[in-house]
Amino acid sequence: IIFYKTLVANDVQIAQEILTKLGYTPGPVDGAYGGKTKRALDEYYKDKNKKFDGKLDKNEIVDL
């Protein structure tokens, strides 16, 4: 379970880094999934004429 939590935190941090480079504002790049990261993903998908499903996983990393 600890490995899974670490993996998720890493996914969040990777997503935050990419979102920041793309000009979105996910808040601090700290691996914590919160409202700012969700809003940045919502904005990213809206700009792509898609809808973010609210779940950050490998699919989002690939999309970014």
Side-chain angles (χ1 to χ4, degrees), residues 18-55:
I18 296 169
L19 286 163
T20 298
K21 287 178 184 175
L22 292 174
Y24 296 91
T25 53
V29 178
D30 58 6
Y33 182 80
K36 290 179 182 177
T37 301
K38 182 183 181 303
R39 279 192 294 278
L41 285 163
D42 285 335
E43 289 176 24
Y44 171 80
Y45 278 100
K46 183 180 177 186
D47 289 348
K48 301 291 182 189
N49 294 317
K50 297 181 179 180
K51 184 169 174 125
F52 176 51
D53 64 6
K55 297 177 185 174

Side-chain angles (χ1 to χ4, degrees), residues 3-31:
F3 176 74
Y4 175 75
K5 288 182 181 178
T6 302
L7 181 65
V8 171
N10 287 340
D11 287 349
V12 173
Q13 186 169 353
I14 291 166
Q16 290 169 332
E17 289 172 358
I18 296 169
L19 286 163
T20 298
K21 287 178 184 175
L22 292 174
Y24 296 91
T25 53
V29 178
D30 58 6

